[in-house]
Amino acid sequence: MMLTLRTLAMLAVSILPGCQAAIDLLVHSSGGNATSPIAYGLMHEDINNSGDGGIYAELIRNRAFQGSEKFPSSLEAWTPFNGASALSLKKLCTPLSAALPYSLNVAPKSATTQQGKIGIVNSGFWGMDVRAEQKYSGSFYVKGGYEGHFTASLQSVITGEVFAAVKVEGVSSGETGGWVRREFTIVPGKTAGNSNNTFAITFDAAGVKNGSLNFNLISLFPPTYKNRPNGLRIDIAEALAELKPKFLRFPGGNMLEGDTLTTYWKWNETIGPLKDRPGMAGVWQYQLTTGLGLVEYMEWCDDMNLEPIVAVWDGLALDGNYVPQSQIGEVVQYALDELEFLTGDAATTKWGAVRASLGHPRPWKIKYVEIGNEDWLAGRPTAYDTYKQYRFQAFLTAFNDKYPNIQVIASPSVFDGMVIPAPGAGDYHPYLTPDKFVAAFDKFDNLSKQNLTLIGEAAATHPNGGIGWDGNLMANPWWGGSVGEAIFLIGAERNSEKVIGATYAPGLRNLNRWQWGMTLLQHAADPALTTRSTSWHVWRLLGSHVLTQTLPVTAQSGGIRPLYYVAGKSEGTHVFKAAVYNATQPVEISLRFEGMTAKGQTAALTVLRGPQDPYGVNDPFTQINVVNETTLAVAADEGGVFRFSLPHLSVAVLELAGN
Ligand code: AHR
């Protein structure tokens, strides 16, 4: 049903209690600051199976048997088809590549007499979504002699029903001996009733020459976001794009640092053909494919129109070890090479030419580079001292010399006790209780403009009274925490000439294996479980109205607390953002914009309200969204005054067209 603006306005007016003294606010027409153009963004590292098994659309888990000292290669997620063959990992004399030394050997149980189908089955990232008429693009490498054809199929674990099967060419006698690649597409004729499905490659036991076949890099992709090969899972990418993000900070996060000085995120091992990527020992309890590598992160930026914030490794590992001063030059050069790979001319630079050879002849533009991640934390105080004494400065000098237009960001902020040498900026990562977020509303007020700060990670993590990381860590974002985040963000927006931008972290969580509960989105193989958290709703509302200029607000009566607010201009509109915390009754507001005095002019007021219980969460398994969002048209009274009320624990944006 379409509601007219007038009807909506009446609805809005009817929700006013109408008897309390209103907080009377005047938004001035000038006097604020031009604000940061990038505002709200995203941060990604592979935590919570948010890359592999998350936004990276690959459906096959453990597709290339990648391993490390920490997570040795294994047959995780693989079983023999019908139990009719023996599976083993083999380190062949002729591996598929130096990066992928292990492969999967499949042998009939009886080498000479066995008949019938044998093969391998993959259970995916805890299931697979199978949809009718969708094109699934697959490939695998095989080594060994095989007369006959392979069958690639998708089937139900529960009923055995085969949703799609396709024949794939076998291995001719001329190909025997080397690795051969096979490609195929599967288009199911039917949508599976649930995600409890597997992928199989089967073949005729009698056709196998020389006793067994070896497989590697077995891959299957559904359609991807913007049709990128090796791309992103559509529903997750779309849910992130709905946040209207402006930047992507990658690759972390602790993933960048790695556990040791030899196991950090090595950018040059995340580029190029998948068969040349060894993967890495993730810091979040699983091995990573790095299929979502440096180029894929940049393609993500291209496809969502995001400003990249590239974090480079700076010689600190999570075990607290750091690179000594005598060797820091090599680490700086490694980061400069990364930048040359991203931005260098294809014809005249070594790494620019490599990028071009990978299908990206045009250099990317990079405006922000962050030096490390949370250098104030691992190995403190000694390792942090080295950051202050020589590591950060070595990077700052080198980047300023070679890339004077890049804003270099230190991984600590002034709030972490770092005096950041000009022209560097800092990065602040508040993981707090709601009360502490609210108390941090004016955190940025007394900073000078020289203390430019990124809020590169933020989330409410503990309930009020929470007792630190070892106690009371919440399992999900909850409404009260999300409102606390909103108030902190509103405080940052009031100072946005000092704030580069803000992003929640971590962004994503696979419901089957996760290390960190508070996330914007939760997901599993079944897209029906993709769940926008309470914080997703808050960050989307605030991030959808980017202020290009702040405007001063004078409180004629009332003041900050329990109403927290910021006002400004945004692309042809005036915007007022507010949140209410610790109010004993709804807060009545009368709001005017200087120079916009017409009676009857209408503004759109969007309000997010939560459940009765401030600890209410958006539970993927009930699919009940506890965040109630309404947009009403509010008509101005005499003098252009907008009157409305906001309840305890609410977040709101009022938008008025016109400059
Ligand atoms: O967001 C999760 C982790 O929190 C990040 O990896 C790290 O930077 C921070 O400590």
Side-chain angles (χ1 to χ4, degrees), residues 247-475:
F247 68 86
L248 176 66
R249 172 176 175 257
F250 66 87
N254 292 156
M255 180 174 84
L256 172 70
E257 299 166 82
D259 291 316
T260 70
L261 287 182
T262 55
T263 57
Y264 54 94
W265 190 83
K266 299 182 180 121
W267 68 267
N268 55 317
E269 293 186 359
T270 75
I271 60 172
L274 296 179
K275 77 175 178 50
D276 296 328
R277 302 190 198 182
M280 75 174 265
V283 301
W284 295 105
Q285 298 162 34
Y286 55 97
Q287 181 75 16
L288 307 179
T289 67
T290 67
L292 178 58
L294 180 58
V295 169
E296 289 75 19
Y297 275 123
M298 293 305 297
E299 291 173 342
W300 175 352
C301 290
D302 289 347
D303 290 345
M304 277 189 207
N305 200 16
L306 306 174
E307 193 71 58
I309 298 183
V310 183
V312 297
W313 188 67
D314 69 351
L316 174 70
L318 289 172
D319 65 6
N321 280 306
Y322 53 85
V323 170
Q325 190 161 9
S326 58
Q327 289 163 25
I328 200 67
E330 292 162 37
V331 184
V332 172
Q333 186 56 49
Y334 182 67
L336 289 173
D337 288 348
E338 181 176 355
L339 262 287
E340 184 177 288
F341 174 80
L342 294 171
T343 64
D345 179 69
T348 58
T349 67
K350 173 186 160 191
W351 286 108
V354 174
R355 185 198 63 246
S357 75
L358 300 178
H360 286 280
R362 279 184 47 204
W364 281 293
K365 289 196 170 59
I366 302 293
K367 291 191 191 156
Y368 299 92
V369 167
E370 181 162 358
I371 310 304
N373 178 65
E374 293 186 346
D375 278 86
W376 54 272
L377 187 55
R380 67 181 167 191
T382 318
Y384 189 15
D385 287 344
T386 67
Y387 191 79
K388 295 178 193 163
Q389 285 157 5
Y390 63 86
R391 286 191 295 121
F392 180 67
Q393 190 60 56
F395 280 87
L396 185 65
T397 306
F399 273 85
N400 285 339
D401 279 358
K402 186 146 188 207
Y403 300 104
N405 295 325
I406 286 182
Q407 172 67 61
V408 174
I409 303 171
S411 73
S413 70
V414 281
F415 307 122
D416 306 304
M418 172 102 185
V419 179
I420 298 165
D427 186 2
Y428 177 50
H429 292 182
Y431 289 112
L432 303 174
T433 66
D435 272 359
K436 285 188 178 151
F437 266 126
V438 174
F441 173 72
D442 36 25
K443 184 108 189 160
F444 297 94
D445 287 1
N446 297 321
L447 277 192
S448 72
K449 283 187 195 166
Q450 280 66 48
N451 288 131
L452 192 64
T453 302
L454 173 71
I455 302 165
E457 299 179 20
T461 45
H462 293 76
N464 292 331
I467 49 171
W469 286 107
D470 296 328
N472 288 350
L473 191 63
M474 295 292 279

Side-chain angles (χ1 to χ4, degrees), residues 159-235:
T159 64
E161 180 178 3
V162 176
F163 302 110
V166 66
K167 283 185 181 175
V168 184
E169 184 191 348
V171 187
S172 68
S173 50
E175 295 173 313
T176 308
W179 284 96
V180 292
R181 183 165 190 266
R182 294 288 177 253
E183 285 184 13
F184 57 89
T185 50
I186 310 184
V187 183
K190 185 177 174 189
T191 296
N194 55 58
S195 60
N196 199 352
N197 307 307
T198 57
F199 169 76
I201 299 173
T202 55
F203 47 96
D204 187 5
V208 177
K209 316 283 179 200
N210 306 321
S212 65
L213 289 176
N214 298 288
F215 291 86
N216 209 340
L217 195 46
I218 304 140
S219 172
L220 187 69
F221 275 80
T224 57
Y225 186 65
K226 308 259 166 117
N227 292 319
R228 280 275 180 201
N230 198 39
L232 306 182
R233 182 172 140 174
I234 292 175
D235 64 320

Side-chain angles (χ1 to χ4, degrees), residues 593 595-602 634-642 656:
F593 293 89
M596 303 179 83
T597 53
K599 182 181 176 187
Q601 61 182 335
T602 55
V634 184
D637 282 352
E638 206 68 52
V641 179
F642 295 99
L656 174 64

